[in-house]
């Protein structure tokens, strides 16, 4: 349709002597018949007039398809204007008249060889717009000639035609070799041809994300950068967008590209400027921060962004939405440009609100005085929405810049004195947050707040005021009267206010029990007996039982110390921010949503990521078998996200959509989308291509699996696994149901041809009572904004599990949980998303079981069994380290044949033998053997020499390493001697620790 409109506009330039409006005004009867006669006239002028009338009728929606053969006959002309009009008609009606359209093919072929390049280009452009399968095969030859035409205008038009043809029939384009020709056009001497070739290839690559079409290498990039300086503005945008998809080899190449793209920042077209900013923002990730050029680049990025804000409001808004993303990623770019974001009196509201948001993001100790003066001014404006946001902004500044808190509180008090209702209410809401951030500092203002109690009519403001009264009840003499005044209309209040009022009165009762007994009974009865809100009823019952059974515990729970609130709660989640930075200058950067969220049926939308910084370095990931000896160092707590080799923030939380069989295992790891086996190490080091996700649902049972469990690691055969998993997708919760806890017993009968998998015969005994350590606190609430995680590891029925208790000790609800592991010694990785299906409310705990597999990326850790974990929720991303017992990795088929054991023991060098002693162990040799078998440490033989039992044992780790053991047990002697032999000697001390843990517990 657009092509059609473009051509209609182009035709105006040939200009008739009179206006074209007359073609739209005819009302004659038998109009089609008359037009038919005129179209077949011998006079050229009459023909042209008739075609114009036909186009006019078509434009206003009349059906003139009956004239198809007559219009097509007019194609045989040298007149360019007439030819354009006929082609316009053809494009519109070819789809409804495909058989008739074939008549025009010969003319296309002929026009593609016309001496006039405009006609050749017009023919090839129209061919691409006629979306009729029958015709496409006839167009291949003409298109091939036009792609190699001597005139660049024809070549650039043909390049776009390939993309259109690919959309109609992709197979045909590939078979005819047009894609290779397109790639050759990237080396064309004409910059516009290069730009169109890039645009066409990008379009095709977008619909086929896995076809490695845009094979970008330093030579190609050099050609694109050369063409960049000479092509039109849209050509420049195509090339810049293509450059943004390239990942440079090192920081030198990155700097070289940045230097050549920087001049585009001064372009007059704002789209070119934003595309250049996108390229620079991405490539800056690879530049070391101590580089002089890095500082220069930061300075160069500010002026073009500032210039964008002098355009009309709509453009300003787009620029501001993009700047909002840039400021979150690199605030230093615009830290000295605060004044540009000050609001002008005539700015539309959408620009004002966006500027306000950026002002707060840029607020710092250096400019806070300026910002507060501005915000105070805004709070006296007439626009209610803007005033509300300005008051909230003052509160956010107080929380963000500690030195300004006092000034912010006095500004808010001044605003409360204005007695403007909505200003007062917003001020109270933000003062509540300031109290949370700075306890015992500004409580002197409570008296002023209480004076305005009667004027509060908005639920959020009422709830904030009630919280303040309840929290500081001991400082407010008439707290009971104030709260009682709210109780009168309890059932008319919103849920938010009711819940807050219930908690506040319970707090008051715990602080002043003698005076408020009637009040607390009244509110508990209102909440539990008269309310039909389940949340309110539940909270009421919990308080009632707590107060009646254990007032001390009630005090500890209700009056517990609250964690401080975080500074920036509205920042975009880091992974999403990275993706949006890669989409600067597109709709995604205006909506602040990834394209997949709003492009319906988006064809293979790729999730883009920023490349990893060079500062994090690249590490080899040696196999544990050949690694050096391990020290006894305690687990290192992760200091900062920059030190992590795997990008622990790279949490992709979209569910998978494919349903094919699982891809072969490799070392890549992508969390959230069950995307666990593809991608290689590149995906961790910033490669943008995403591996295909593993299906969440298997249509055909391939091996018995627990519900919600990723396909088993490929190291084991189905027979080996089958014996221990005793369940199938048909049993239990199923794939669509919420995850149940792992069943304690797996003895359910399995039907559907899987019975034979469970008939293992001798070799492997069913693991009974495997030892798992008690839970310990891995992540204290103080370090995670109120989220406490305690946990342990267990191996149940052949599956390694991470069993965690998540506790919310913050005041806000926690949602959107996800988890990811850094690379580790044995490739441990989550086998599925972290299943926390309901929001985690304040003071609530939830038990979560996360199945693990061992197909993640491998890197030797210090100590060997150290695991670095990132957990994300709606508040932030948190990091912790924990150690897993090596016994979790002992597989069920670790029992060696006697002869093999003997040969292997002799084969392993004596230097690899390590001897340990287990003290205070009072088990018989048989009891010890049974206990160890529960943890997959198998006794192969036992012999008694001089009253001493000697047990010969074997175990096998998930990565295929065998450990052989000889354990000596003497009746009456509580000291056992264990000798361990293994080709990877550094594993021995951790295996010994597992022996000790299993036997002593």
């Amino acid at each position: 349709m657009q092509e059609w409109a473009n051509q209609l506009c182009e035709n105006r330039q040939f200009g008739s002597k009179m206006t074209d409006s007359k073609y739209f005004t005819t009302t004659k009867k038998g109009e089609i018949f008359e037009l038919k006669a005129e179209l077949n006239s011998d006079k050229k002028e009459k023909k042209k007039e008739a075609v114009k009338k036909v186009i006019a009728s078509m434009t206003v929606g009349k059906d003139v398809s009956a004239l198809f053969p007559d219009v097509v006959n007019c194609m045989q002309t040298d007149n360019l204007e007439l030819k354009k009009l006929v082609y316009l008609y053809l494009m519109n009606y070819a789809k409804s008249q495909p058989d008739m359209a074939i008549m025009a093919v010969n003319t296309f072929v002929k026009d593609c060889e016309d001496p006039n390049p405009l006609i050749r280009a017009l023919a090839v452009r129209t061919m691409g717009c006629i979306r009729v399968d029958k015709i496409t095969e006839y167009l291949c030859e003409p298109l091939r000639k036009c792609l190699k035409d001597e005139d660049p205008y024809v070549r650039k038009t043909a390049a776009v035609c390939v993309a259109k043809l690919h959309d109609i029939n992709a197979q045909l384009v590939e078979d005819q070799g047009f894609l290779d020709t397109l790639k050759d056009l990237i080396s064309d001497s004409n910059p516009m041809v290069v730009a169109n070739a890039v645009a066409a290839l990008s379009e095709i690559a977008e619909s086929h994300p896995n076809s490695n079409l845009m094979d970008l290498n330093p030579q190609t990039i050099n050609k694109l950068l050369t063409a960049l300086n000479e092509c039109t503005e849209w050509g420049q945008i195509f090339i810049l967008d293509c450059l943004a998809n390239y990942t440079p080899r090192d920081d030198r190449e990155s700097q070289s590209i940045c230097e050549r793209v920087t001049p585009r920042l001064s372009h007059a077209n704002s789209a070119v400027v934003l595309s250049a900013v996108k390229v620079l923002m991405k490539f800056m990730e690879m530049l070391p921060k101590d580089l002089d050029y890095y500082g220069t680049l930061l300075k160069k990025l500010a002026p073009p962004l500032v210039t964008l804000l002098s355009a009309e409001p709509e453009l300003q808004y787009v620029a501001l939405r993009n700047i909002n993303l840039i400021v979150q990623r690199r605030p230093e770019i615009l830290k000295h440009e605060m004044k540009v974001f000050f609001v002008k009196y005539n700015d539309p509201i959408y620009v004002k609100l966006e500027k306000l948001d950026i002002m707060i993001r840029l607020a710092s100790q250096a400019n806070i005085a300026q910002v507060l003066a501005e915000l105070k001014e805004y709070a006296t404006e007439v626009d209610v929405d803007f005033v509300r946001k300005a008051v909230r902004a003052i509160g956010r500044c107080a929380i963000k810049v500690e030195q300004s808190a006092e000034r912010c509180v006095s500004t808010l008090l001044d605003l409360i004195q204005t007695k403007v209702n909505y200003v007062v209410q917003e001020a109270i809401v933000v003062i509540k947050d300031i109290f949370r951030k700075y306890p015992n500092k500004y409580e002197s203002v409570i008296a002023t707040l209480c004076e305005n109690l009667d004027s509060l009519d908005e639920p959020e403001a009422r709830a904030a005021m009630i919280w303040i009264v309840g929290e500081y009840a001991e400082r407010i003499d008439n707290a009971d009267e104030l709260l009682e005044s709210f109780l009168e209309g309890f059932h008319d209040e919103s849920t938010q206010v009711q819940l807050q009022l219930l908690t506040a009165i319970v707090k008051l009762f715990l602080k002043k029990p003698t005076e408020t007994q009637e009040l607390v009974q009244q509110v508990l009865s209102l909440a539990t007996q008269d309310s039909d809100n389940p949340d309110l009823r539940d909270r009421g019952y919990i308080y009632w039982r707590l107060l009646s059974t254990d007032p001390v515990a009630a005090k500890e729970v209700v009056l517990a110390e609250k964690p401080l609130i975080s500074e920036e709660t509205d920042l975009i989640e880091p992974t999403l921010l990275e993706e949006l930075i890669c989409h600067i200058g597109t709709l995604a950067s205006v909506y602040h949503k990834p394209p997949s969220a709003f492009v319906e049926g988006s064809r293979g939308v790729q999730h883009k990521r920023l490349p990893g910084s060079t500062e994090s370095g690249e590490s080899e990931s040696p196999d544990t078998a050949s690694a050096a000896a391990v020290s006894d160092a305690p687990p290192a707590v992760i200091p900062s996200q920059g030190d992590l080799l795997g990008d622990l923030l790279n949490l992709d939380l979209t569910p998978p959509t494919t349903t094919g069989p699982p891809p072969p295992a490799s070392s890549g790891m992508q969390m959230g989308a069950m995307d666990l086996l593809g991608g290689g190490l590149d995906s961790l080091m910033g490669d943008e291509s995403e591996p295909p996700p593993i299906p969440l649902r298997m249509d055909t049972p391939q091996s018995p699996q627990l519900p919600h469990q990723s396909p088993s690691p490929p190291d084991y055969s189905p027979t080996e696994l089958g014996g221990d998993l005793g369940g199938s997708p048909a049993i239990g919760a199923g794939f669509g149901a919420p995850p149940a806890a792992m069943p304690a017993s797996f003895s359910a009968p399995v039907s559907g041809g899987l019975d034979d998998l469970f008939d293992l015969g001798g070799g492997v005994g069913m693991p009974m009572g495997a030892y798992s350590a008690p839970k310990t606190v891995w992540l204290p609430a103080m370090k995670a904004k109120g989220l406490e995680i305690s946990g342990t590891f267990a191996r149940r029925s052949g599956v390694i599990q991470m069993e965690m208790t998540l506790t919310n000790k913050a005041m806000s609800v926690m949602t959107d949980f996800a988890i990811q592991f850094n690379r580790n010694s044995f490739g441990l990785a989550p086998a599925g998303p972290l299943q926390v299906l309901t929001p985690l409310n304040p003071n609530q705990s939830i038990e979560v079981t996360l199945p693990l597999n061992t197909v993640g990326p491998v890197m030797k850790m210090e100590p060997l069994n150290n695991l670095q974990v990132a957990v994300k929720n709606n508040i932030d991303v948190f990091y912790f380290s924990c150690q897993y017992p090596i016994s979790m990795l002992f597989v069920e088929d670790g029992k060696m044949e006697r002869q093999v054991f003997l040969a292997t023991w002799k084969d392993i060098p004596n230097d690899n033998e390590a001897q340990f002693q287990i003290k205070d162990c009072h088990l018989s040799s048989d009891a010890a053997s049974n206990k160890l078998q529960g943890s997959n440490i198998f006794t192969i033989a036992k012999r008694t020499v001089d009253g001493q039992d000697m047990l010969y044992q074997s175990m096998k780790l998930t990565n295929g390493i065998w450990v052989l053991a000889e354990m000596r047990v003497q009746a009456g002697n509580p000291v056992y001697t264990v000798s361990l032999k293994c080709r990877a000697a550094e594993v021995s001390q951790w295996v010994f620790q597992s022996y000790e843990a299993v036997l002593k517990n």
Side-chain angles (χ1 to χ4, degrees), residues 791-823:
T792 184
F793 292 86
R795 187 179 183 95
R796 304 196 195 284
S797 300
V799 181
I800 304 169
Q801 292 172 4
M802 191 176 190
E803 298 177 345
M804 291 177 283
T805 303
L806 309 184
T807 306
N808 181 357
K809 296 191 173 179
M811 289 301 288
S812 53
V813 176
M814 293 181 181
T815 56
D816 304 334
F817 284 86
I819 192 165
Q820 186 165 323
F821 297 172
N822 197 4
R823 296 192 278 187

Side-chain angles (χ1 to χ4, degrees), residues 694-810:
I694 286 186
L696 193 62
R697 185 185 187 95
M698 295 297 200
D699 293 333
T700 53
Q702 298 183 351
S703 70
Q705 290 170 18
L706 301 176
H708 295 281
Q709 188 185 321
S710 152
S712 316
D715 308 7
Y716 316 123
S717 69
T719 335
E720 289 167 340
L721 266 175
D724 303 323
L725 283 183
S728 89
I731 296 175
F735 283 94
M742 294 297 176
S745 155
F746 288 98
S747 56
V750 181
S751 58
L754 291 176
D755 302 1
D756 56 329
L757 288 177
F758 292 83
D759 186 18
L760 284 178
V764 185
M766 192 65 131
M768 298 298 290
Y771 165 69
S772 77
K775 286 182 181 170
T776 53
V777 175
W778 286 340
L779 180 68
M782 287 296 285
K783 292 185 179 176
K785 299 181 181 174
L787 173 65
E788 183 182 278
I789 300 178
S790 54
T792 184
F793 292 86
R795 187 179 183 95
R796 304 196 195 284
S797 300
V799 181
I800 304 169
Q801 292 172 4
M802 191 176 190
E803 298 177 345
M804 291 177 283
T805 303
L806 309 184
T807 306
N808 181 357
K809 296 191 173 179

Side-chain angles (χ1 to χ4, degrees), residues 41 44 111 145 221 262 305 311 400 489 573 600 695 787 867 980 988:
S41 163
K44 282 186 180 177
D111 282 356
K145 285 179 184 165
I221 294 296
T262 309
L305 292 172
K400 188 177 178 190
E573 194 268 319
E600 232 176 81
L787 173 65
L867 182 65
L980 297 173
S988 297

Side-chain angles (χ1 to χ4, degrees), residues 99-169:
D99 296 329
M100 301 290 279
I102 290 179
M103 292 163 47
V105 167
N106 282 337
T107 316
F108 282 137
V109 174
K110 217 164 87 184
D111 282 356
C112 283
E113 293 176 0
D114 194 278
N116 183 343
L118 287 175
I119 289 182
R120 296 203 297 275
L122 179 63
V124 80
R125 180 200 286 175
T126 311
M127 285 183 337
C129 294
I130 296 179
R131 303 178 63 81
V132 176
D133 280 339
K134 285 183 179 179
I135 294 183
T136 44
E137 56 197 80
Y138 297 110
L139 306 183
C140 293
E141 262 332 291
L143 180 56
R144 185 173 283 109
K145 285 179 184 165
C146 289
L147 281 167
K148 297 191 172 150
D149 198 280
E150 60 190 24
D151 192 286
Y153 182 71
V154 180
R155 293 200 300 278
K156 89 176 180 75
T157 311
V160 176
C161 183
V162 173
K164 291 180 178 176
L165 195 58
H166 189 276
D167 199 34
I168 303 164
N169 189 340

